[in-house]
Amino acid sequence: MSNSDNPRWGAEFQRQVRRWFESHYDLRFEEEVKISIGSRLVDHHDYKEHKFDIACEDRSIIIECKRYTWTKSGNVPSAKMGFANEAAFYLSLVNRAREKYLVMLRSFDEKRGESLAEYYCHTYKHLLGDVVVAEFDPVNNEMRFLNKDIIESRRIKRMNELAHSYLRLFVNSRIVDDDVGNRFADDCFDLGIQMDCGKMFIDNYGADAFENVEGFLDVVGEITDLDVLSSGIFSKWRNITHWSYGAKCTDPENRVWFINAFARLAELSDV
């Protein structure tokens, strides 16, 4: 059964999923949210809006819901798997989200020994990219993530590659700002790194650590959260390149800040 097959049941399933995410993520989520999507090969000015079932306020978490079940005879609802693939495709075109979820109703088939979400995940894993397939049991209010560990490990590996790439650039004394800025925002957005003007980093380590190299060096060894550090790096870059008059990322103090930040990011993501 899909939202279009029975709007009332589909809408209730969507509300249940939203409430679960709100209670477990301590964030406010909205329903029926329009978000710009498009291929990374297309200029973002040409992106088009698409309506997603659920998203948190800062759009870092996007969710599509599918209330599908096995057929009465125990067969795969093939047409509905196509709609699930369509939802996964649209999620893959959201370029600025940290987490993307395709949440399916738990529907278990005793003869097959698997749920429909499990079947979908292993059958169409080649299409999922960075989309996490989740299975929600509304009776017991239980959510199970089927491929989240795999996707997170890939993300950490890519984070490590980004850290080493920009560390090599910043330690090169001959670089100019264009060398460390032309693609940096796209690289961060591709990994779902959030640019929040330094809020998350400052909340954890203070404004002095964000603004000054001495303050950062005092706390860099204490940083253990990849998302906090990567967000701080992205926000620092944005602050310098867009809001600071005359400052450059390659200025001596900023260069030292970034060298130590990327070195710590490389260390934390080296798993």
Side-chain angles (χ1 to χ4, degrees):
M1 183 181 296
S2 69
N3 293 12
S4 59
D5 292 331
N6 191 321
R8 183 171 66 86
W9 286 110
E12 177 57 24
F13 181 66
Q14 186 170 307
R15 284 191 294 270
Q16 291 168 328
V17 170
R18 174 179 57 79
R19 288 194 292 265
W20 187 93
F21 272 89
E22 285 181 333
S23 65
H24 286 75
Y25 279 73
D26 195 26
L27 294 170
R28 183 173 178 273
F29 286 79
E30 304 168 0
E31 296 185 40
E32 305 300 323
V33 180
K34 290 183 178 180
I35 297 173
S36 293
I37 62 172
S39 167
R40 292 185 176 95
L41 300 178
V42 175
D43 189 281
H44 72 274
H45 295 296
D46 294 323
Y47 284 8
K48 302 291 185 181
E49 285 191 334
H50 178 78
K51 187 182 290 185
F52 291 92
D53 291 335
I54 305 169
C56 65
E57 285 185 301
D58 67 0
R59 308 301 186 249
S60 62
I61 302 174
I62 314 294
I63 305 162
E64 283 285 89
C65 301
K66 294 300 177 187
R67 194 182 184 279
Y68 297 156
T69 62
W70 296 102
T71 67
K72 290 182 180 180
S73 57
N75 293 322
V76 177
S78 299
K80 288 168 182 160
M81 294 298 93
F83 292 130
N85 285 338
E86 181 182 49
F89 170 70
Y90 283 125
L91 283 167
S92 73
L93 296 176
V94 180
N95 295 321
R96 300 190 175 187
R98 185 178 74 250
E99 300 173 38
K100 309 170 189 179
Y101 295 98
L102 176 60
V103 181
M104 302 179 69
L105 174 72
R106 174 166 173 77
S107 176
F108 190 80
D109 183 85
E110 294 289 348
K111 292 181 179 179
R112 290 176 175 268
E114 66 178 349
S115 67
L116 188 58
E118 290 171 332
Y119 167 83
Y120 176 78
C121 190
H122 71 69
T123 302
Y124 297 102
K125 60 185 178 182
H126 60 296
L127 302 178
L128 294 173
D130 59 353
V131 176
V132 175
V133 177
E135 179 181 80
F136 183 60
D137 177 358
V139 176
N140 297 303
N141 194 37
E142 293 178 350
M143 186 78 69
R144 186 164 70 101
F145 301 108
L146 303 184
N147 60 335
K148 189 172 185 177
D149 290 345
I150 295 172
I151 289 173
E152 183 61 17
S153 67
R154 291 173 184 163
R155 179 173 177 265
I156 292 173
K157 180 180 179 181
R158 291 177 60 204
M159 188 94 66
N160 186 260
E161 292 169 351
L162 177 140
H164 281 289
S165 174
Y166 282 95
L167 178 58
R168 285 193 296 269
L169 285 173
F170 272 98
V171 297
N172 181 352
S173 60
R174 292 175 295 180
I175 65 163
V176 295
D177 262 43
D178 284 348
D179 295 325
V180 296
N182 283 339
R183 275 203 50 81
F184 187 64
D186 288 337
D187 289 340
C188 288
F189 283 132
D190 283 351
L191 285 171
I193 297 173
Q194 300 303 297
M195 200 295 294
D196 63 355
C197 301
K199 182 180 184 306
M200 184 162 48
F201 186 89
I202 291 171
D203 286 347
N204 282 272
Y205 299 105
D208 188 50
F210 180 74
E211 296 168 1
N212 303 306
V213 65
E214 293 85 359
F216 182 77
L217 293 176
D218 285 341
V219 304
V220 63
E222 303 171 13
I223 301 174
T224 58
D225 191 300
L226 280 173
D227 288 329
V228 172
L229 179 55
S230 59
S231 176
I233 292 172
F234 191 8
S235 297
K236 177 83 170 179
W237 174 87
R238 181 78 177 187
N239 183 60
I240 294 170
T241 57
H242 289 71
W243 300 310
S244 294
Y245 294 100
K248 297 180 179 179
C249 293
T250 53
D251 289 343
E253 287 199 359
N254 289 333
R255 184 194 295 267
V256 174
W257 194 101
F258 282 112
I259 287 174
N260 283 273
F262 281 118
R264 184 59 174 169
L265 187 65
E267 182 182 5
L268 293 176
S269 58
D270 186 17
V271 295

